[in-house]
Amino acid sequence: MKRSVFVIITLLMAITMQAQELKMIKLNAPNKTKGEAVMKVLNDRQSIREYAAKELAAQDLSDLLWAANGINRPDGKRTAPSAMNRQEVDVYVVMKTGAYLYDAKEHALKPVTAGDYRAAVAGPQDFAKEAPVSLVLVADLARLGDPASDRTKLMASVDVGIVCQNINLACTGLGLATVPRATMDQDVLRKALKLNDNQLLLMNNPVGYPQ
Ligand SMILES: Cc1cc2nc3c(=O)[nH]c(=O)nc-3n(C[C@H](O)[C@H](O)[C@H](O)COP(=O)(O)O)c2cc1C
């Protein structure tokens, strides 16, 4: 009995320490001159569900996050438009080491939870677990308006769709593979990302290199 209590306490300590060890990741400056021209990107965009067994390069992750919803003007506005410029869409980055929140102002990743939650992003679609990175799109309804209103939810869904398409197009232009997905294990992911009741977990994009 004493021994099992000791084992449980040791395990809990190990998990807590692991969570504390995740550090903020400052991203490289985005390379804003990279990528294919817009008409070629629109011509080539497609959903890709197979990924090479290769980690995403730091520069590619930086460029992709900036394209997804980074700041593109001195007044703090974003690459993605949002209803009333409420900027309520957050991009979470789920990787082998842990889950992070993209901080557009700092162009950095803030630690959220240690551990590999890519299986929760994948849900029943196993292929998605193989992507080295998944971007998870969450709308904070409280930042947009009355969280209970259908209109707020509708506008938030539109805004998430725009960020998602930024990701789809950026991936094509940068030579990355992705698919926009609504499928995921909502319960596990909501807990891992520490979401509150006003945060809608709407879409995700597994991202990797094409095979
Ligand atoms: C809102 C939305 C949700 C989607 N959810 C999933 C999903 O859960 N799993 C998946 O494999 N593909 C998903 N897709 C991708 C579509 O199946 C795909 O875009 C469609 O088949 C057209 O193929 P294309 O993207 O190559 O043009 C979703 C697409 C959208 C726009």
Side-chain angles (χ1 to χ4, degrees):
M1 176 67 184
K2 267 188 187 162
R3 196 184 150 82
S4 54
V5 171
F6 174 75
V7 170
I8 290 167
I9 291 172
T10 312
L11 272 173
L12 284 174
M13 279 172 64
I15 291 165
T16 315
M17 277 168 66
Q18 206 188 6
Q20 286 165 350
E21 273 168 22
L22 274 192
K23 296 225 166 65
M24 174 125 153
I25 300 174
K26 186 73 192 146
L27 296 161
N28 298 1
N31 179 349
K32 300 180 188 173
T33 59
K34 206 164 131 190
E36 302 279 2
V38 67
M39 292 303 272
K40 170 139 177 58
V41 166
L42 287 166
N43 185 63
D44 292 349
R45 187 213 64 79
Q46 59 177 302
S47 292
I48 299 178
R49 297 179 177 83
E50 284 180 330
Y51 313 102
K54 188 176 155 193
E55 293 304 314
L56 215 58
Q59 189 64 51
D60 283 333
L61 183 61
S62 163
D63 295 347
L64 178 62
L65 287 166
W66 179 82
N69 204 11
I71 292 174
N72 69 353
R73 281 159 287 173
D75 62 4
K77 287 184 177 166
R78 305 287 190 93
T79 56
S82 59
M84 298 176 289
N85 187 34
R86 289 294 162 84
Q87 304 185 0
E88 81 283 7
V89 180
D90 287 318
V91 181
Y92 288 81
V93 180
V94 176
M95 307 188 275
K96 204 184 281 175
T97 46
Y100 295 81
L101 173 63
Y102 174 55
D103 180 331
K105 276 199 191 104
E106 299 292 331
H107 195 57
L109 296 179
K110 283 178 160 173
V112 177
T113 311
D116 189 350
Y117 287 93
R118 290 176 301 166
V121 177
Q125 290 190 299
D126 278 350
F127 75 83
K129 275 193 300 202
E130 307 306 323
V133 170
S134 273
L135 303 188
V136 177
L137 306 183
V138 174
D140 187 350
L141 299 175
R143 291 208 311 254
L144 181 56
D146 172 7
S149 136
D150 283 346
R151 181 148 181 89
T152 306
K153 289 178 193 151
L154 187 67
M155 288 299 108
S157 305
V158 171
D159 289 346
V160 164
I162 293 170
V163 173
C164 185
Q165 183 68 338
N166 276 4
I167 295 167
N168 298 328
L169 297 177
C171 281
T172 306
L174 296 170
L176 303 172
T178 194
V179 51
R181 297 174 66 245
T183 305
M184 57 194 124
D185 186 335
Q186 286 269 344
D187 291 343
V188 175
L189 213 46
R190 290 193 71 84
K191 279 197 197 109
L193 301 181
K194 302 177 181 165
L195 303 183
N196 65 44
D197 291 345
N198 291 329
Q199 287 178 290
L200 272 189
L201 180 49
L202 283 169
M203 292 293 290
N204 66 76
N205 279 76
V207 178
Y209 295 101
Q211 269 188 343

